[in-house]
Amino acid sequence: MATADLLLHPVRMRILQALFDTDPLTTAQLRDRLPDIPPATMYRHIALLTEGGVLDVASEERVRGIVVRSYRIRAEEAVVDPAARAAMTREDHQRAYATFVASLLADFDRYLAREDADPLGDGVVYRQAAVWLSDDEFAEMIEEIEKAVVTRVGRPGDQGRTRRIVSLVVVPDKHAGPPADAEGDAG
């Protein structure tokens, strides 16, 4: 499994997002999807992801004397394992989370910049809720959410389907007191 430093870099996150649940893509195809990333930067980050075991070379083809490689994600390697997360400092988590949030903001900005962007019609959702759960109930909820998403990964990108990026953030709010009725104060 990869390190947080490898995965949670803004450019590398965008490359991985472009490759999530797609056929293998060449660097040229990635550059078409991510035109704001300079070519040298794209090549450098693809090399780092490949060396780190997160990307595989799916195929190589000679085109006019140049080797053109197609890349795919090694899904099992594209996560930060629990031991690596446990070794992260608070500062590491702060930096990783800031990168993640910045990536979400950039994705949304790119979406809104499209002339055909229609948040309501496109089903854009951003929502926050507070739930009171035991550790077991929380683990069950995360399992249910992951199952709901994972069972939909891999569907063909055919007519009538839109590729959607699903992100999840969970932050404990341990300083909040229990609801009034939980203490018997409700009347």
Side-chain angles (χ1 to χ4, degrees):
M1 294 194 184
T3 65
D5 284 339
L6 180 63
L7 295 176
L8 296 175
H9 181 280
V11 172
R12 291 190 288 271
M13 281 183 74
R14 290 189 55 211
I15 291 168
L16 293 173
Q17 284 177 336
L19 286 165
F20 283 148
D21 203 29
T22 66
D23 290 331
L25 299 174
T26 66
T27 304
Q29 290 168 321
L30 283 165
R31 286 182 38 225
D32 287 344
R33 292 178 185 211
L34 306 168
D36 57 312
I37 299 175
T41 300
M42 177 76 71
Y43 283 105
R44 183 174 64 251
H45 289 288
I46 287 173
L48 288 169
L49 288 165
T50 303
E51 290 166 13
V54 178
L55 296 183
D56 261 343
V57 176
S59 67
E60 292 184 339
E61 180 182 347
R62 271 203 153 341
V63 178
R64 293 185 297 270
I66 298 172
V67 176
V68 176
R69 292 178 181 90
S70 294
Y71 298 91
R72 70 173 159 241
I73 292 179
R74 295 180 63 209
E76 69 280 2
E77 297 298 324
V79 294
V80 180
D81 69 41
R85 282 197 314 270
M88 290 171 64
T89 66
R90 288 179 183 205
E91 292 77 19
D92 292 337
H93 281 284
Q94 179 66 40
R95 191 177 73 252
Y97 187 75
T99 301
F100 177 77
V101 170
S103 175
L104 291 177
L105 289 170
D107 289 342
F108 197 63
D109 286 346
R110 277 188 298 281
Y111 163 73
L112 289 176
R114 294 182 8 211
E115 286 193 27
D116 66 341
D118 175 10
L120 182 61
D122 291 338
V124 171
V125 176
Y126 40 92
R127 180 177 180 167
Q128 191 171 35
V131 293
W132 292 86
L133 303 170
S134 68
D135 289 345
D136 289 341
E137 292 167 331
F138 174 69
E140 180 182 357
M141 181 187 75
I142 294 298
E143 185 177 318
E144 290 169 3
I145 292 168
E146 287 180 350
K147 182 179 179 187
V149 174
V150 169
T151 58
R152 289 162 174 85
V153 169
R155 291 182 178 180
D158 54 12
Q159 203 93 17
R161 287 199 168 123
T162 301
R163 184 173 183 257
R164 301 172 197 276
I165 302 295
V166 177
S167 303
L168 175 65
V169 176
V170 178
V171 179
D173 187 14
K174 293 189 177 195
H175 293 292
D181 61 342
E183 296 177 337
D185 293 342

